[in-house]
Amino acid sequence: MHQILHIKEIYKEAFRNWRNIFLKKYFKAFSWFCLALWLVTVYAFVFRISTGFAFD
Protein backbone atom coordinates (compact mmCIF):
# COMPACT_ATOMS: atom_id res chain seq x y z
CA MET A 1 0.00 0.00 0.00
CA HIS A 2 2.86 2.33 0.82
CA GLN A 3 4.34 1.80 -2.66
CA ILE A 4 1.05 2.73 -4.34
CA LEU A 5 0.87 5.94 -2.33
CA HIS A 6 4.47 6.70 -3.24
CA ILE A 7 3.74 6.20 -6.97
CA LYS A 8 0.67 8.42 -6.65
CA GLU A 9 2.76 11.17 -5.07
CA ILE A 10 5.38 10.90 -7.83
CA TYR A 11 2.60 11.20 -10.45
CA LYS A 12 1.13 14.27 -8.77
CA GLU A 13 4.55 15.89 -8.38
CA ALA A 14 5.39 15.34 -12.05
CA PHE A 15 2.44 17.46 -13.22
CA ARG A 16 2.54 20.17 -10.57
CA ASN A 17 3.27 23.75 -11.71
CA TRP A 18 3.07 23.13 -15.46
CA ARG A 19 2.41 26.28 -17.48
CA ASN A 20 1.20 25.00 -20.84
CA ILE A 21 -2.18 23.29 -20.40
CA PHE A 22 -1.90 21.46 -23.75
CA LEU A 23 1.38 19.82 -22.79
CA LYS A 24 0.02 18.93 -19.38
CA LYS A 25 -3.01 17.17 -20.88
CA TYR A 26 -0.90 15.51 -23.58
CA PHE A 27 1.60 14.02 -21.15
CA LYS A 28 -1.13 12.92 -18.74
CA ALA A 29 -2.91 11.11 -21.59
CA PHE A 30 0.37 9.61 -22.76
CA SER A 31 1.19 8.32 -19.28
CA TRP A 32 -2.25 6.67 -18.98
CA PHE A 33 -1.82 5.16 -22.47
CA CYS A 34 1.56 3.71 -21.49
CA LEU A 35 0.07 2.27 -18.30
CA ALA A 36 -2.74 0.65 -20.32
CA LEU A 37 -0.24 -0.89 -22.75
CA TRP A 38 1.83 -2.21 -19.85
CA LEU A 39 -1.29 -3.78 -18.26
CA VAL A 40 -2.22 -5.47 -21.55
CA THR A 41 1.30 -6.88 -21.76
CA VAL A 42 1.18 -8.22 -18.21
CA TYR A 43 -2.24 -9.74 -18.86
CA ALA A 44 -1.02 -11.47 -22.03
CA PHE A 45 2.04 -12.83 -20.24
CA VAL A 46 0.01 -14.16 -17.30
CA PHE A 47 -2.52 -15.67 -19.71
CA ARG A 48 0.24 -17.48 -21.61
CA ILE A 49 1.75 -18.81 -18.39
CA SER A 50 -1.62 -19.97 -17.05
CA THR A 51 -2.47 -21.85 -20.27
CA GLY A 52 0.84 -23.70 -20.33
CA PHE A 53 2.43 -21.99 -23.33
CA ALA A 54 5.94 -23.28 -24.01
CA PHE A 55 8.40 -20.40 -24.32
CA ASP A 56 10.91 -22.19 -26.58
Side-chain angles (χ1 to χ4, degrees):
M1 184 65 181
H2 179 64
Q3 290 176 339
I4 294 173
L5 291 175
H6 186 63
I7 291 171
K8 180 182 174 185
E9 186 62 32
I10 290 171
Y11 181 81
K12 285 172 56 178
E13 183 68 28
F15 293 106
R16 191 173 295 157
N17 296 328
W18 275 49
R19 303 281 184 232
N20 192 336
I21 196 73
F22 174 74
L23 285 177
K24 183 177 182 177
K25 289 187 182 287
Y26 172 77
F27 280 111
K28 275 191 176 186
F30 186 71
S31 65
W32 281 110
F33 179 70
C34 289
L35 176 66
L37 288 178
W38 184 78
L39 290 175
V40 167
T41 304
V42 170
Y43 170 75
F45 183 70
V46 169
F47 179 78
R48 288 294 186 177
I49 289 175
S50 67
T51 58
F53 183 77
F55 292 97
D56 291 337

